[in-house]
Amino acid sequence: MTGSGGRDERQGTRVGLADARRLEDVVAELRALDYRYGGGSCRVAVESRLPAAAAQLDSVTKAVVKARLYTAVADLYNLAGWTNFDQDRPGAALAAFARALELAVEAGNDDLQANIRYRVGRLHLHYDAVDAALVEFARGREAALLAHSKLAQAILSANQAWAYAKKADVTGALSYLRRAREEFAEAAGREPSPWAAFFGPADMAAMIGTVHGELAQVVDVRHGRDGIPALAEAIEGYPRGMTRSRSLTLIWLATVHALDGDLDVAATVGEEAVELAGALRSPRVRQRLHPLSAAAGRFSGNADAREIVDRIDDLRHSGR
């Protein structure tokens, strides 16, 4: 057939499972760069892939290919949203997440929808829009339940716990944290989706420490002591490629020690945290140093505390 319909039909055969697999591999490679070096290391590369990836969607005819390709393109937009968030570009991030969600819905992929909702919620949480974050986490939980994904449920429960900690709701925070641990244990042995594979034992431990660290900031410093073992476990457990996660967890550990007046330990841990933050192309990580600086600043007469504040100020003024 030589008419336009024939050309469309032939174009449709050009996009198959191999194309979807290639895009999945590209997303995996770019996501690894994001974890290791920060969103600034790959955001432009991610965004440059979007037009060609999206254009492939018009050439899909087979249902099995469509579901997989739509999922892959949705996850590319999901990564675009996350790298923009890491670069302190919330407007661009939300636009990318919105497109990712549309495509995930078209793909019928509830697990990916849950992950996108989690990431949108994290963006809101970072900018202290806690109620908006809770709305996204709740919607994500609905999708995770539909997907029968215990890992997605654990991720959302852990982040709901963090949100309630930010609201100084100790009961809510610890209840959701308990649920997250149970769901995470139930997820053991199941193959994780690529967008959720980051959430292993180290990240679960980091979230436990994060919730206790947040409660230490807004409720009572004693909560931070309960989180120290989990933070130390996370730092020890992060593999080499998870540089940003390690940096964020070191920041929490240093902050908890600073809040409790353990300033020599805070200075030692804080030194590594600031060094990693400076090496990452991630404004989000540097923003997360502010609470550590504030905690140390309460002890202005102490040399270790001044060292922490000075290191953070130097990084802020270095332009890195």
Side-chain angles (χ1 to χ4, degrees):
M1 185 179 293
T2 57
S4 60
R7 286 195 297 271
D8 289 344
E9 184 177 341
R10 288 196 301 273
Q11 286 171 358
T13 64
R14 293 177 188 170
V15 177
L17 288 175
D19 298 281
R21 282 194 292 269
R22 276 192 291 271
L23 183 55
E24 290 164 356
D25 290 343
V26 166
V27 174
E29 291 170 6
L30 292 169
R31 182 169 272 130
L33 289 174
D34 170 61
Y35 287 146
R36 188 162 192 168
Y37 302 111
S41 69
C42 60
R43 178 183 62 81
V44 173
V46 172
E47 292 183 332
S48 71
R49 295 273 184 173
L50 292 173
Q56 288 184 308
L57 299 175
D58 295 329
S59 301
V60 179
T61 57
K62 294 183 179 179
V64 65
V65 178
K66 179 177 178 180
R68 188 156 175 181
L69 185 64
Y70 268 69
T71 292
V73 179
D75 196 28
L76 183 63
Y77 274 97
N78 189 28
L79 182 56
W82 191 251
T83 54
N84 271 288
F85 166 40
D86 204 45
Q87 285 292 101
D88 195 26
R89 293 162 51 91
L94 288 172
F97 284 135
R99 182 58 179 147
L101 195 59
E102 291 173 358
L103 293 170
V105 169
E106 288 196 58
N109 195 318
D110 294 310
D111 186 60
L112 181 52
Q113 290 175 54
N115 188 265
I116 296 162
R117 294 286 191 188
Y118 142 71
R119 293 177 190 276
V120 175
R122 279 292 290 267
L123 183 151
H124 289 311
L125 207 59
H126 180 76
Y127 295 106
D128 292 323
V130 181
D131 290 334
L134 283 169
V135 168
E136 292 298 329
F137 295 149
R139 290 174 177 168
R141 170 168 292 284
E142 293 172 6
L145 289 169
L146 289 171
H148 304 290
S149 172
K150 284 295 180 181
L151 183 58
Q153 292 168 40
I155 293 171
L156 287 154
S157 293
N159 281 275
Q160 286 171 303
W162 188 3
Y164 279 106
K166 275 184 168 286
K167 293 169 77 75
D169 182 342
V170 177
T171 301
L174 296 183
S175 294
Y176 274 102
L177 197 56
R178 192 177 312 113
R179 177 190 282 185
R181 296 172 94 155
E182 292 169 356
E183 291 163 341
F184 184 74
E186 291 176 41
R190 303 183 190 184
E191 184 69 24
S193 53
W195 46 81
F198 73 93
F199 201 85
D203 224 75
M204 184 68 242
M207 286 303 300
I208 293 167
T210 293
V211 171
H212 285 288
E214 193 70 61
L215 289 172
Q217 286 190 130
V218 301
V219 178
D220 192 303
V221 295
R222 290 176 294 180
H223 287 285
R225 299 167 198 160
D226 294 332
I228 288 173
L231 292 169
E233 177 188 339
I235 292 164
E236 180 69 23
Y238 275 126
R240 181 181 177 89
M242 298 296 285
T243 310
R244 183 177 55 210
S245 295
R246 179 180 172 84
S247 176
L248 289 167
T249 309
L250 282 164
I251 292 168
W252 269 118
L253 183 59
T255 302
V256 166
H257 280 295
L259 287 168
D260 208 28
D262 297 329
L263 298 170
D264 54 341
V265 178
T268 300
V269 177
E271 180 179 1
E272 185 179 355
V274 173
E275 183 179 342
L276 281 180
L280 286 161
R281 297 180 63 183
S282 172
R284 175 167 66 101
V285 171
R286 292 196 292 275
Q287 289 165 355
R288 291 273 290 274
L289 287 165
H290 297 167
L292 172 57
S293 182
R298 295 165 53 235
F299 302 93
S300 57
N302 180 278
D304 289 318
R306 286 198 305 274
E307 179 184 343
I308 294 169
V309 174
D310 288 346
R311 283 184 180 277
I312 295 171
D313 283 345
D314 288 345
L315 178 59
R316 185 180 299 128
H317 295 136
S318 70
R320 283 190 290 166

